[in-house]
């Protein structure tokens, strides 16, 4: 028998995987270290997953890095997360660009410190022509804020006479979200044992499959991603319809 080609994804691998990367603080606390020590370890896990995802058949990867609610954390921790975003882009952007990765940052741009806004724009500009793999990083992102911004955009267009309110449909809303143009996530993973969305992709996850993994984000690796994808492949997605076999049995 021919050896199994590890790079050959199963036919029904999820095309879009979204991850709530949770547990950096607990990872540090368990070692008796200050919470923020967990965040650079979290960046190492990001690198492992970005490396592994394309080989596992994933084409879009969306990572929840900083929520609109995370500003409530102590200033020192917020500053550390900002520093790490800058460091990640400065050290990894050239490699990502060379490898054909297109980077997109989801979330509100106003409210970001100017140096962070600049780095976000640079990451998008430098990779704008790539299409081998799509990496979306949700930063200063909130699902509700994103829906509010889409509603505002629609209202503005209608008020200016550029949009007939009667023509607003689901697609019109989707296109105005910061994920506009991206297919909805097939699989949402959350690490650390918490089982909630915490304001992540509220609209886009209407029919996503959820896998919760009992691992703290800094310990995440290709094997955990593989396990989550295997779990996804056992699921049966129905989108409100009936299972094909049952329809046949019912005549
Ligand atoms: C996720 O890990 C990273 C960010 C939200 C920036 P946490 O920092 O939330 O880790 P825990 O949940 O406190 O362990
Ligand atoms: C969600 O995690 C946000 C990110 C992973 C960036 P949190 O740790 O902020 O969520 P809660 O507070 O446990 O709901
Ligand atoms: Mg957390």
């Amino acid at each position: 028998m021919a050896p199994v080609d590890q790079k050959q994804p199963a036919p029904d691998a999820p095309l879009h995987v979204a991850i709530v990367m949770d547990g950096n603080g607990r990872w540090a606390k368990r070692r008796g270290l200050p919470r923020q020590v967990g965040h650079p370890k979290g960046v190492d896990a990001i690198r492992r997953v970005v490396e592994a995802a394309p080989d596992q058949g994933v084409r879009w990867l969306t990572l929840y890095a900083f929520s609109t609610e995370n500003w409530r954390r102590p200033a020192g921790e917020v500053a550390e997360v900002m520093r790490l975003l800058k460091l990640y882009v400065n050290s990894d952007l050239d490699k990502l660009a060379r490898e054909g990765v297109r980077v997109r940052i989801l979330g509100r741009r106003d409210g970001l410190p100017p140096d962070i806004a600049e780095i976000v724009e640079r990451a998008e500009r430098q990779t704008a022509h790539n299409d081998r793999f799509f990496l979306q990083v949700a930063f200063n992102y909130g699902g509700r804020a994103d829906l509010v911004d889409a509603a505002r955009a629609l209202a503005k267009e209608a008020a200016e006479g550029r949009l007939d309110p009667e023509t607003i449909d689901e697609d019109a809303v989707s296109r105005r979200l910061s994920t506009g143009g991206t297919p909805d996530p097939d699989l949402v993973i959350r690490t650390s044992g918490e089982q909630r969305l915490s304001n992540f992709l509220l609209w886009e996850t209407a029919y996503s499959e959820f896998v919760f993994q009992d691992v703290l984000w800094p310990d995440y690796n290709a094997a955990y991603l593989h396990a989550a994808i295997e779990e996804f492949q056992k699921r049966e997605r129905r989108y409100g319809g009936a299972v094909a076999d049952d329809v046949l049995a019912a005549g």
Side-chain angles (χ1 to χ4, degrees):
M1 212 165 78
V4 179
D5 181 2
Q6 293 288 336
K7 296 215 162 162
Q8 199 61 49
D12 49 356
L15 280 178
H16 183 175
V17 174
I19 309 182
V20 182
M21 309 181 289
D22 200 14
N24 292 356
R26 276 163 283 174
W27 186 94
K29 231 175 118 191
R30 274 184 203 172
R31 286 162 178 76
L33 299 165
R35 285 182 50 77
Q36 61 203 54
V37 175
H39 297 314
K41 298 290 177 192
V43 176
D44 294 341
I46 290 176
R47 291 196 175 102
R48 289 194 289 273
V49 169
V50 169
E51 188 76 26
D55 290 345
Q56 300 196 22
V58 177
R59 193 107 198 278
W60 285 267
L61 178 68
T62 303
L63 302 175
Y64 200 7
F66 191 79
S67 75
T68 46
E69 288 72 38
N70 287 148
W71 292 104
R72 294 176 188 155
R73 296 193 179 194
E77 184 177 343
V78 170
E80 175 63 357
V81 174
M82 299 289 154
R83 185 187 75 85
L84 288 169
L85 178 76
K86 250 169 103 168
L87 195 72
Y88 178 65
V89 172
N90 280 332
S91 59
D92 288 39
L93 185 62
D94 286 347
K95 183 169 177 278
L96 293 171
R98 265 199 316 277
E99 290 174 347
V101 178
R102 181 163 184 177
V103 179
R104 187 186 200 186
I105 313 293
L106 311 178
R108 281 194 173 152
R109 298 291 159 93
D110 46 7
L112 287 180
D115 56 330
I116 300 295
E118 189 275 318
I119 215 144
V120 158
E121 269 148 38
R122 180 151 60 83
E124 292 188 338
R125 206 177 337 112
Q126 202 176 320
T127 61
H129 303 292
N130 286 340
D131 62 1
R132 191 182 74 87
F133 184 75
F134 299 87
L135 174 63
Q136 306 194 109
V137 181
F139 199 89
N140 194 24
Y141 175 88
R144 288 186 172 182
D146 215 34
L147 278 159
V148 166
D149 292 347
R152 273 195 198 144
L154 288 165
K156 193 162 178 275
E157 289 167 47
E160 289 170 358
R162 292 183 283 125
L163 176 75
D164 173 3
E166 291 302 322
T167 65
I168 297 174
D169 55 10
E170 293 184 5
D171 191 49
V173 175
S174 293
R175 279 187 284 113
R176 285 163 181 86
L177 295 172
S178 63
T179 50
T182 305
D184 288 341
D186 301 292
L187 168 62
V188 176
I189 296 168
R190 183 164 184 154
T191 60
S192 89
E194 307 298 349
Q195 303 193 357
R196 53 178 172 263
L197 265 180
S198 300
N199 205 9
F200 189 41
L201 305 177
L202 299 181
W203 171 278
E204 297 87 338
T205 53
Y207 276 102
S208 303
E209 295 294 331
F210 290 80
V211 171
F212 300 102
Q213 291 180 296
D214 231 334
V215 52
L216 300 174
W217 178 251
D219 292 326
Y220 209 76
N221 58 29
Y224 283 105
L225 179 65
H226 186 72
I229 290 176
E230 273 192 335
E231 171 64 31
F232 169 86
Q233 287 170 323
K234 291 182 200 151
R235 304 278 176 89
E236 182 172 41
R237 302 179 82 186
R238 289 202 277 278
Y239 302 98
V243 189
D245 286 354
D246 293 352
V247 174
L248 283 176

